Amino acid sequence: MQSLVCGADTPPLLETTIGAALDATVSRWPQHDALVSRHQAIRWSYAEFGRRVDELAAGFVALGLERGDRVGIWAPNCAEWVLVQFATAKAGLILVTINPAYRMAEVEYTLKKVGVAALVCADSFKTSDYTAMIETLAPEIAQSVPDRLSAARLPALRIVIRIGGDARTGWLAFEAISAAATSESRAKLASLTLDNRDAINIQFTSGTTGLPKGATLSHRNILNNGYFTGLRMSLGPQDRLCIPVPLYHCFGMVLSNLACITHGAAMIFPSSGFEPLAVLETVAQERCTALHGVPTMFIAELQHPRFAEFDLSSLRTGIMAGAPCPVEIMRRVIDKMHMRAITIAYGMTETSPVSFQSGAGDSLERRVSTVGRVLPHLEVKIVDADGNVVLRGERGELCTRGYSVMLGYWDEPERTAESIDADGWMHSGDLAIIDEAGYCNIVGRLKDMVIRGGENIYPREIEEFLFRHPKIEDVQVVGLPDEKFGEELCAWIRLRESERADAEEITAFCRGQIAHYKIPRYIRFVKEFPMTVTGKIQKFQIREAMIEELALRKIKTA
């Protein structure tokens, strides 16, 4: 049997816009909690949330923003972020989500690349002074009328809006947008005819090479992905989802927010940025039934010294995704956090994002060893280097086709054509295996594969083996250049609290259990890994740091 799987054709796709989907939920469950922002002391019902979204959307229209204009948001998790997400969708504006960790050069590139007309940003967050960075890029703000900016370096930017902070010349306060709404702008908003295939979101992918690309997504892309991932969790109006993942990424705004509004569940935010204690407190106090996170977040929650103090028995389901999910961590989340129906999801920004997800009915073994089965209305195939579909159980590149595939990279037809072939297949760059029952296992990245002395080695396999060591909390394996073998393996290991180990102990653990060529030559013990704000570990930085270390050592011994 070939490694080609097709999702179910029921239930049908939602052929509507995000705004219409929200309206339907507001009408059906007006008094249910829609949004709780614990760190802001905000609690809104769906009726209140819907009213605020409508006023904000009418405010955007009153400011002269037209369908298809790009509106950027640069802020950590907060209620305002969610309002902007749904208000821009209602007004037919394209939301450009900007990584809160970006610095000046990165945000300048983003704003110019897609021609952002209006920017909503927090005053500051952690060590980032957003106001100062924007005023450095556009010093004209200080002499401008708030909604009529003309900046030399950012020619498309007309409006800058601040969340929080004192009044400042040239800036609109966030509250002023809704206040700008008029009967005329409300009427114009009501008369808008939007198409669910319109572009509604641009997400910048964080590749390790080249400049970031703007994956352009439609209502149809992300609304349906949120809906179907919610179905796999059996999400319903009785559920309360704790959302510690960042909203700027698909995990937060699609798998969390859109899953909630399509099923009537409550969106609950524990803090502006990830804090494990805030998550534990929020789950206990709000009686959350679902929790999302990347593996590093779940590890931090399990490891927290006060973990045992909190009653997490209300938890039932959730999603662990965004990075490979170690089997042992999954088992501990099920056992210690009561998440008996937790799901694993796999995908990429360019596919809105999820293609595969496990289900509550899957066996524990399936849920800890695979990323589940393909979602409805999607096709996935595994191909070899020549593009031929491989047999079940064989390794190859995963490709996805269907409603979730992005419209393309913004203003980059050539890079789009490199990723989406003429038949509509999105090539992921991920190596995967699909078994006889249709379950998928992600075994590595094409670019991560290590070739040592002619042997192909997949770091994920070595990582999963090392996770069995009782002292190891987390591990990342990369390939390093080697004169003799071409490449050698290197393992960065984070030990569990109060544990000690040396390289020889780890090597001895491997001997006789895995092939000699799979045993890491270089072993380093570290306190943390370099990672993105979403919790994805940046292996290229590990590789670069080790190459520099080994080069320096070679110089010293020469």
Side-chain angles (χ1 to χ4, degrees):
M1 190 187 303
Q2 288 191 316
S3 293
L4 174 64
V5 290
C6 299
D9 57 8
T10 57
L13 287 164
L14 302 178
E15 297 294 358
T16 188
T17 63
I18 290 169
L22 175 60
D23 287 345
T25 297
V26 169
S27 176
R28 192 170 180 188
W29 296 291
Q31 299 313 312
H32 283 211
D33 278 350
L35 187 149
V36 176
S37 181
R38 185 171 168 271
H39 59 291
Q40 295 175 289
I42 286 173
R43 186 180 300 272
W44 295 330
S45 67
Y46 265 105
E48 176 68 7
F49 179 65
R51 184 189 68 77
R52 288 175 179 268
V53 167
D54 286 345
E55 282 299 284
L56 187 61
F60 280 134
V61 172
L63 290 173
L65 292 167
E66 301 279 349
R67 177 179 174 177
D69 280 348
R70 272 75 68 204
V71 175
I73 180 145
W74 193 23
N77 287 11
C78 57
E80 293 87 348
W81 207 110
V82 188
L83 288 174
V84 171
Q85 175 183 354
F86 287 95
T88 50
K90 277 219 162 185
L93 304 168
I94 301 175
L95 182 67
V96 182
T97 54
I98 304 172
N99 188 330
Y102 271 7
R103 295 295 179 172
M104 202 152 62
E106 296 161 316
V107 79
E108 180 181 13
Y109 170 80
T110 301
L111 297 176
K112 291 170 77 169
K113 176 69 180 174
V114 300
V116 167
L119 174 67
V120 180
C121 71
D123 179 49
S124 62
F125 177 60
K126 294 184 176 178
T127 60
S128 296
D129 187 335
Y130 298 138
T131 300
M133 283 189 268
I134 295 301
E135 289 184 344
T136 300
L137 291 172
E140 299 91 343
I141 291 173
Q143 285 79 44
S144 73
V145 174
D147 58 348
R148 296 176 199 168
L149 174 64
S150 178
R153 286 175 72 175
L154 301 172
L157 189 62
R158 307 194 309 268
I159 305 165
V160 287
I161 302 156
R162 283 166 83 231
I163 301 170
D166 298 328
R168 198 171 181 90
T169 305
W171 291 81
L172 279 172
F174 183 81
E175 297 74 18
I177 312 173
S178 296
T182 63
S183 55
E184 184 182 350
S185 69
R186 292 186 189 97
K188 185 174 180 181
L189 180 69
S191 67
L192 273 178
T193 303
L194 304 178
D195 190 312
N196 73 333
R197 295 174 188 261
D198 287 343
I200 203 63
N201 178 219
I202 298 174
Q203 302 239 350
F204 278 86
T205 59
S206 52
T208 58
T209 58
L211 293 168
K213 306 182 289 287
T216 307
L217 304 167
S218 68
H219 293 266
R220 192 171 187 263
N221 286 150
I222 59 178
L223 182 66
N224 279 291
N225 211 250
Y227 173 64
F228 285 108
T229 52
L231 279 181
R232 281 281 164 99
M233 290 188 287
S234 300
L235 211 61
Q238 75 286 350
D239 282 305
R240 303 172 67 76
L241 173 60
C242 183
I243 306 170
V245 293
L247 288 171
Y248 88 89
H249 189 266
C250 268
F251 201 163
M253 69 169 288
V254 179
L255 307 190
S256 302
N257 290 357
L258 290 176
C260 283
I261 73 104
T262 51
H263 295 281
M267 302 171 278
I268 301 180
F269 300 94
S271 51
S272 55
F274 175 66
E275 298 172 15
L277 180 58
V279 172
L280 297 171
E281 289 173 340
T282 301
V283 169
Q285 291 174 9
E286 293 291 335
R287 306 307 293 154
C288 294
T289 59
L291 172 63
H292 284 179
V294 298
T296 50
M297 290 180 176
F298 283 102
I299 290 169
E301 290 149 15
L302 287 161
Q303 271 191 332
H304 196 277
R306 294 180 55 193
F307 176 82
E309 295 178 25
F310 298 97
D311 177 4
L312 308 180
S313 60
S314 60
L315 284 174
R316 172 183 63 82
T317 188
I319 295 176
M320 190 190 299
C325 305
V327 171
E328 286 309 308
I329 298 304
M330 184 68 163
R331 291 186 190 278
R332 287 164 63 192
V333 167
I334 292 170
D335 292 341
K336 297 183 181 299
M337 298 182 77
H338 310 282
M339 297 179 70
R340 60 193 179 279
I342 188 173
T343 68
I344 294 287
Y346 160 81
M348 58 193 302
T349 302
E350 291 88 339
T351 56
S352 303
V354 171
S355 303
F356 282 90
Q357 188 178 1
S358 57
D362 289 334
S363 69
L364 175 62
E365 183 57 34
R366 292 289 195 192
R367 284 188 286 136
V368 299
S369 63
T370 76
V371 293
R373 288 186 282 196
V374 67
L375 286 182
H377 303 282
L378 295 178
E379 296 175 88
V380 172
K381 65 179 180 178
I382 309 296
V383 299
D384 61 21
D386 297 320
N388 302 309
V389 179
V390 302
L391 295 176
R392 294 284 177 104
E394 293 183 3
R395 189 187 311 254
E397 184 186 12
L398 186 150
C399 303
T400 302
R401 184 167 68 177
Y403 77 84
S404 71
V405 174
M406 66 174 179
L407 301 178
Y409 294 120
W410 185 269
D411 198 28
E412 295 199 66
E414 290 182 4
R415 293 177 89 178
T416 299
E418 289 170 4
S419 298
I420 303 174
D421 65 27
D423 294 320
W425 291 99
M426 176 75 210
H427 290 251
S428 70
D430 286 324
L431 291 165
I433 294 170
I434 293 178
D435 68 18
E436 292 295 330
Y439 287 86
C440 179
N441 187 19
I442 305 299
V443 295
R445 289 281 297 167
L446 280 172
K447 292 179 181 177
D448 283 347
M449 187 178 73
V450 177
I451 304 176
R452 181 193 182 278
E455 298 281 2
N456 291 351
I457 307 171
Y458 300 94
R460 176 77 189 278
E461 178 189 351
I462 315 304
E463 290 163 359
E464 288 289 359
F465 171 76
L466 289 173
F467 263 113
R468 299 179 193 172
H469 194 291
K471 294 182 181 179
I472 292 177
E473 184 67 56
D474 205 353
V475 58
Q476 297 296 318
V477 174
V478 300
L480 301 178
D482 182 77
E483 290 181 3
K484 182 178 180 181
F485 292 104
E487 286 185 285
E488 279 281 15
L489 291 177
C490 169
W492 273 27
I493 293 171
R494 188 156 65 84
L495 296 173
R496 296 192 181 191
E497 196 171 352
S498 11
E499 294 287 4
R500 292 174 180 242
D502 57 21
E504 176 51 36
E505 179 179 341
I506 304 302
T507 302
F509 178 74
C510 297
R511 284 195 201 106
Q513 300 296 317
I514 57 176
H516 70 91
Y517 62 84
K518 295 181 182 179
I519 300 174
R521 178 178 173 185
Y522 304 102
I523 295 171
R524 296 290 181 272
F525 296 95
V526 298
K527 295 292 185 186
E528 59 185 10
F529 302 115
M531 60 178 67
T532 68
V533 72
T534 58
K536 287 187 178 181
I537 291 164
Q538 296 178 300
K539 286 193 170 185
F540 73 96
Q541 286 197 20
I542 296 175
R543 192 176 295 111
E544 288 171 359
M546 286 303 300
I547 289 171
E548 183 178 354
E549 177 191 319
L550 296 174
L552 288 173
R553 188 194 302 170
K554 191 172 182 180
I555 291 168
K556 287 178 182 176
T557 56

